[in-house]
Amino acid sequence: MKDTVVTVVGTVTVDPEIRFTDPGTAIARFRMISTPREFDRPSGQWRDSTPVTFTCTAWRVLAENVADSLRAGMEVIVHGRIQPARPGASPEGGIELSVDSVGVSLAERIVYTQASMPPGLAAAIAQQAPPTAPAPAPSKPAPVPAPRQAVPATPPVTGWDRFRAVASAAVADPSAWHIT
């Protein structure tokens, strides 16, 4: 039996969930909805047709990338194979897709990869990166500071959070950035 391969453009409806099998294989699952447009001849207007729901499953490295990259509300392009419904799946679960490739639609947003990031923005992010080597040990013991009130620990800003912070700063004050 041959696979039915489709490419669908739609909107992610919930953040992807990732889990791992016993051997450690990553599986990410997300739902998306695609609303086809159809031409209504009597009115001469385009209108939304009945929305189609997809349950998408990605495996291995693609699953990890999907979990790290996609969020609810993003418009994506999914290429994959239609799968038979899983036993016990709800009838309103829509069409099951085994995903081979996922891309973010550029119709409504700009997406940067490590290779395509503008040099000015890449340099700004690199400047905010935490030091990679530990600081040298002081030659004499440091004085003991006075006791302070406990402050809740905040996790360090890394990865996409750091990118979002720098990008937000660039949007807030565009004159401070020279991106070529």
Side-chain angles (χ1 to χ4, degrees):
M1 181 166 112
K2 296 197 179 225
D3 291 335
T4 303
V5 179
V6 295
T7 301
V8 181
V9 177
T11 303
V12 177
T13 58
V14 295
D15 289 350
E17 296 176 6
I18 190 165
R19 59 188 172 87
F20 295 87
T21 63
D22 286 336
T25 303
I27 304 170
R29 200 164 246 188
F30 64 96
R31 292 175 53 90
M32 64 179 270
I33 192 165
S34 179
T35 306
R37 307 266 298 155
E38 60 185 27
F39 189 72
D40 183 18
R41 290 187 191 271
S43 70
Q45 300 288 322
W46 285 94
R47 64 179 177 85
D48 288 345
S49 183
T50 305
V52 180
T53 304
F54 296 88
T55 300
C56 303
T57 305
W59 296 80
R60 298 174 188 77
V61 174
L62 178 60
E64 294 177 28
N65 292 341
V66 161
D68 288 342
S69 303
L70 299 186
R71 296 293 173 260
M74 294 177 78
E75 188 171 355
V76 295
I77 304 161
V78 175
H79 181 78
R81 292 164 277 122
I82 295 178
Q83 298 293 305
R86 291 176 290 130
S90 63
E92 67 274 355
I95 299 169
E96 298 267 342
L97 284 181
S98 179
V99 177
D100 295 320
S101 186
V102 179
V104 176
S105 172
L106 299 179
E108 296 180 10
R109 69 178 64 224
I110 296 173
V111 177
Y112 292 116
T113 64
Q114 290 176 342
S116 70
M117 192 176 302
L121 191 55
I125 291 172
Q127 287 175 355
Q128 291 188 357
T132 55
S139 56
K140 59 182 179 179
V144 177
R148 298 186 301 167
Q149 289 183 327
V151 177
T154 56
V157 178
T158 60
W160 283 108
D161 292 329
R162 184 173 61 233
F163 174 78
R164 283 188 203 102
V166 172
S168 295
V171 170
D173 186 12
S175 63
W177 299 87
H178 176 72
I179 299 175
T180 57

